Amino acid sequence: MFSVALSLKEHLEVNDVGHLTLHGVDLVELAGRYGTPLFVFDEATLVGNFERFRRAFESFYPKVLVCYSIKTNNNLAICRILREKGAYAEVSSALDLHIALKAGFPGERIIYDGPFKPADALEKAIKEHVLLINCESLAELERLDKVAESLGVRQAVGLRVNPFRDPGFSKYFSLNKLVNAAYCNLDGKFGFSLDEAYAAFEKALKFKNLSVEGIMAHPYRDATRVLPPLISELREGLGIKFKYVNVGGGFYSGDVRFVGGKELISDFLRRKIGLKSKLTEEVAVPSIEAVAKALLSEIGNSLKELSDPVLIVEPGRFITSSAGILLVRVDHVKSAGGYKWAFVDAGTNILPRFSAVELRRVVVANKASDDPCEEYNVSGPLLYSDDFITLKAQLPEVCEGDILAILCCGAYTLSRSNQFLYPRPAALLVGSNSEVRVIRERETFEDVFYKDRNI
Amino acid sequence: MFSVALSLKEHLEVNDVGHLTLHGVDLVELAGRYGTPLFVFDEATLVGNFERFRRAFESFYPKVLVCYSIKTNNNLAICRILREKGAYAEVSSALDLHIALKAGFPGERIIYDGPFKPADALEKAIKEHVLLINCESLAELERLDKVAESLGVRQAVGLRVNPFRDPGFSKYFSLNKLVNAAYCNLDGKFGFSLDEAYAAFEKALKFKNLSVEGIMAHPYRDATRVLPPLISELREGLGIKFKYVNVGGGFYSGDVRFVGGKELISDFLRRKIGLKSKLTEEVAVPSIEAVAKALLSEIGNSLKELSDPVLIVEPGRFITSSAGILLVRVDHVKSAGGYKWAFVDAGTNILPRFSAVELRRVVVANKASDDPCEEYNVSGPLLYSDDFITLKAQLPEVCEGDILAILCCGAYTLSRSNQFLYPRPAALLVGSNSEVRVIRERETFEDVFYKDRNI
């Protein structure tokens, strides 16, 4: 349907009984042995994605810190593997910080982001000597200054700048601006607005216990647009020569396809008049090498003016998404509302969605060499109409008991899963040597309410 | 902003230091003692909502079973209280069934719903003598028949009918129909479609180990529209005299206001041209007594024709929502994007949203007698723009350290919460006698990954 990251595809094969294998490990057998639903992570893809990402940036700019965004997948084993390969960690809460430390990241390889940092979390971060704390408000700078003072430390800080302009009606009207304003400019709550950025840096320089060393914007597409002029202005006006330039995250590997209502409707109409579906076509996604090249050509001059500071990038989804497969079991199939529905044993409780519709690539693991012959919607077991794994998947005939491999489920699944109606599944790690290890145990019913007191 | 269920308001007062109290218990003190975020449940409201709901229906129809929908709030203490007051339980998964039994519901007071019921869960349900199993597909009827046969039982079943017609283009075109069809008729996947309902009942009657005793449709608004003609047809054509008529759930007490994009935009434009906001007006919500009366007048004749079967209703939100308050702490306040934002220590990790925007009633618990003077958006601590608790709340001036009481947080919060970036909070129960008991303990950082194996 659309691209699966190359590294994962290289390790997926079909064996002589038609089962999907990962490094030769039969995924249907794994599902039988460990039960479904079941997360299976591919160590080679995880490491390959990280190393490819780092190489892509390093080949265009030598001083790059790849800070893995812990929130994407906070499993201890996953975090530990990335730490061993040289990743830095980006943490966004006290819990993230705790997990990063537990996974063995030294403070010097941790940066602390996010709009919400209580004093005790800041204190812990400083005591652990985190590399950089990115601040998002004057209130946070004041708090951090106090904490640093109490600990007798001069803390390195970066200021996060919000690249989205206030969508007021003063300049150009557009429907998007109107919607954005009506929704209270939700994007606008992060960091310092562009209008106030200069004054914010000026104030930040006056705190005795803070050392202003970084500038940050997120996501990277917008960061590269707003940072160059701002960096020049701050250098010329306030003499700031940043040690760290942070362009955030948002790097996408094309693994999951986010589809909007308009696309769904136009596709439906195309098919009604006999045209081919656009949703089943491959979508060209620029390679990470192309993204790195474009990014550095956009901000390269600014970096040179600053005498080549450290460039910080914060990928999460890019590294973990294609490294994770979710194995689910087909409970039953039914025709309803003009579509064929395959009901499986996991849904949005463990595959939460970010947009209205996310299309995921599905393989019938026990019929992996069969050609697709029909279109299925794959539904989860919850009781909501929007509990689906994917829509309009082209699959071989699907029956009760079939095992579906949902590809590219490694990002924002374990960490954002909930226990609504079902305990959460186990996770395995498959090594390149075909070794299978349990990295998270399956929850029992009792685990779901083990904090409840039945007074 | 809009109605809070009367029972909760009766128990909320302001003490002489201006703090919000529940049955005289100072909520600011509770937040200090137990930490924030903190769920506080009011036993009197919980019980009052249940009893009011039951009375409303019983006053118009004597044979009513109020089946509490366990998934709404599966806390053991909450479930146990409702069981003690005479509620039946509606379970929608094997986990729900486990919890209902653990909370002391006997099988005879449990009905089992949902589109996904594995054989082992059906077996357990039959062994526990559940009152009724509502089936949604032929595959499920076949499976249940086998399981019942293996246990030597004739199982009482109901068939769920889907009240939503296939939105094809055959009859009337509308934009809603187009969107619905483009989205693969998500609502259509549940139960038997109206077109196939008659044939499904005909088939169901032929299973030797199943006793067709019920008919179900959900939600109640649509159920009352489609059930009367269908019941007549089935009685006349197949001679079925149902023992149970189940109209599902969907009962709303007006506690949380679901706002669509159109309403937000029109409100924004109204205010731009100087008109008053519509979002701050009270919204009239029909009382549950009026709903019960209307519902029974719509299906009353059908029930009479069936010689007064048992009417099953499945409320969840109505009973629990207004019984729960979430106490959060203001971390800091900032102006951004043209709005004032109060950042608090809980967001959509524990208050998941069902629609794009949900407006919730907020009280500054430590300034409960102060008049509102400003408009705030209340943001959670996550890193997403849509992580907010409410928009455009009229509040007294809000500062760091203030405790906000978010009213009506009892439904789909504990049960659908996740641990994304933050461990989950404790829950307390306040009795009418002002006794405070812990019904769920706070999670620690370690609890979040206690199933992880750091291999």
Side-chain angles (χ1 to χ4, degrees), chain B residues 221-283:
Chain B
R221 281 174 191 277
D222 302 288
T224 53
R225 178 173 52 79
V226 302
L227 288 185
L230 187 58
I231 286 173
S232 293
E233 198 187 336
L234 291 166
R235 195 174 46 83
E236 285 159 23
L238 299 172
I240 306 180
K241 289 207 166 181
F242 294 108
K243 195 169 157 190
Y244 303 102
V245 173
N246 187 332
V247 295
F251 302 96
Y252 173 61
S253 58
D255 43 7
V256 175
R257 182 156 170 190
F258 300 89
V259 175
K262 276 187 206 159
E263 271 172 282
L264 274 181
I265 291 172
S266 85
D267 199 71
F268 179 81
L269 294 174
R270 282 179 64 86
R271 289 174 53 170
K272 272 280 159 194
I273 58 171
L275 296 174
K276 244 187 89 182
S277 171
K278 286 257 182 198
L279 299 180
T280 56
E281 283 175 7
E282 290 279 333
V283 176

Side-chain angles (χ1 to χ4, degrees), chain B residues 101-285:
Chain B
L101 293 168
K102 184 117 180 164
F105 287 95
E108 294 79 4
R109 269 166 61 189
I110 295 175
I111 63 170
Y112 189 0
D113 281 1
F116 182 92
K117 306 191 191 82
D120 56 351
L122 289 173
E123 190 178 322
K124 174 150 183 211
I126 294 178
K127 283 182 176 166
E128 294 287 347
H129 308 288
V130 300
L131 184 69
L132 188 66
I133 299 178
N134 285 313
C135 293
E136 305 213 3
S137 67
L138 193 59
E140 192 189 334
L141 285 167
E142 285 168 359
R143 182 182 296 168
L144 182 58
D145 183 63
K146 267 190 213 156
V147 176
E149 183 174 30
S150 74
L151 295 173
V153 170
R154 193 143 187 269
Q155 175 61 42
V157 298
L159 267 60
R160 176 174 172 182
V161 175
N162 189 325
F164 305 107
R165 288 217 174 265
D166 177 358
F169 286 95
S170 46
K171 288 201 171 164
Y172 319 100
F173 171 81
S174 79
L175 189 62
N176 276 348
K177 275 191 180 181
L178 170 63
V179 171
N180 202 348
Y183 274 87
C184 298
N185 306 342
L186 299 181
D187 280 327
K189 71 179 175 180
F190 298 107
F192 295 93
S193 75
L194 277 178
D195 300 334
E196 65 180 345
Y198 189 92
F201 275 99
E202 199 167 18
K203 280 179 198 155
L205 289 172
K206 291 182 181 146
F207 288 101
K208 284 189 187 149
N209 309 289
L210 304 181
S211 165
V212 178
E213 301 183 4
I215 186 167
M216 177 194 179
H218 167 89
Y220 79 88
R221 281 174 191 277
D222 302 288
T224 53
R225 178 173 52 79
V226 302
L227 288 185
L230 187 58
I231 286 173
S232 293
E233 198 187 336
L234 291 166
R235 195 174 46 83
E236 285 159 23
L238 299 172
I240 306 180
K241 289 207 166 181
F242 294 108
K243 195 169 157 190
Y244 303 102
V245 173
N246 187 332
V247 295
F251 302 96
Y252 173 61
S253 58
D255 43 7
V256 175
R257 182 156 170 190
F258 300 89
V259 175
K262 276 187 206 159
E263 271 172 282
L264 274 181
I265 291 172
S266 85
D267 199 71
F268 179 81
L269 294 174
R270 282 179 64 86
R271 289 174 53 170
K272 272 280 159 194
I273 58 171
L275 296 174
K276 244 187 89 182
S277 171
K278 286 257 182 198
L279 299 180
T280 56
E281 283 175 7
E282 290 279 333
V283 176
V285 174

